[in-house]
Amino acid sequence: MSPEFQRAVTALIAAIPRGKVLTYGRVAELAGYPRHARHVGRLLGTAPQGALPWHRVVGACGRIARPGTESADWQRALLEAEGVTLQARGTVDLARHLWHPEAGQQVGRTPASA
DNA sequence: CAATTGACGCGGT
DNA sequence: TACCGCGCCAATT
């Protein structure tokens, strides 16, 4: 995993607005590394906790990762605290809170040659 | 060097 | 709707 990947992903997640969320796959894709959804998860797992709003990253269908763990419960609490409407199953309503990054806000792979 | 795992994702049964 | 399997890409053992 190149440090660039980590930089792009962490920066991207850190850029997620409050009350919005992104899916692992989306983060990887926006960071410039499609199919690297798992690596995003791995990165968050290895990344220092409290360093970035990892709670704004959810599964493909708005599902919270590792259900049953304290982390999952904590994540839900954080999301609700941000005003994120959770569906009955405890999943995030992506239709309402999926972050739609605007062009120019791309954090990963900064076009230095632009 | 080969096998297994992992904060994932999608399709099939 | 719930459960199972396969694909992905790197890291670890």
Side-chain angles (χ1 to χ4, degrees):
Chain A
M1 214 158 21
S2 64
E4 181 59 24
F5 171 79
Q6 300 179 38
R7 191 195 70 75
V9 172
T10 52
L12 182 62
I13 293 175
I16 302 176
R18 186 169 174 281
K20 290 288 184 176
V21 300
L22 277 182
T23 65
Y24 290 94
R26 203 67 69 180
V27 169
E29 188 174 291
L30 292 173
Y33 295 81
R35 310 315 185 299
H36 284 69
R38 314 187 76 152
H39 306 268
V40 175
R42 174 191 287 277
L43 185 58
L44 292 185
T46 58
Q49 309 195 347
L52 59 147
W54 60 271
H55 61 272
R56 296 192 187 135
V57 184
V58 298
C61 297
R63 293 195 310 276
I64 294 182
R66 289 305 296 179
T69 64
E70 295 180 54
S71 304
D73 189 59
W74 178 236
Q75 180 169 15
R76 274 206 292 209
L78 288 172
L79 290 173
E80 290 188 291
E82 295 188 350
V84 173
T85 49
L86 295 176
Q87 292 168 134
R89 297 180 185 73
T91 59
V92 176
D93 188 343
L94 296 181
R96 295 158 73 92
H97 301 287
L98 179 62
W99 183 39
H100 299 269
E102 302 173 37
Q105 290 197 29
Q106 183 172 351
V107 187
R109 291 261 176 105
T110 313
S113 57

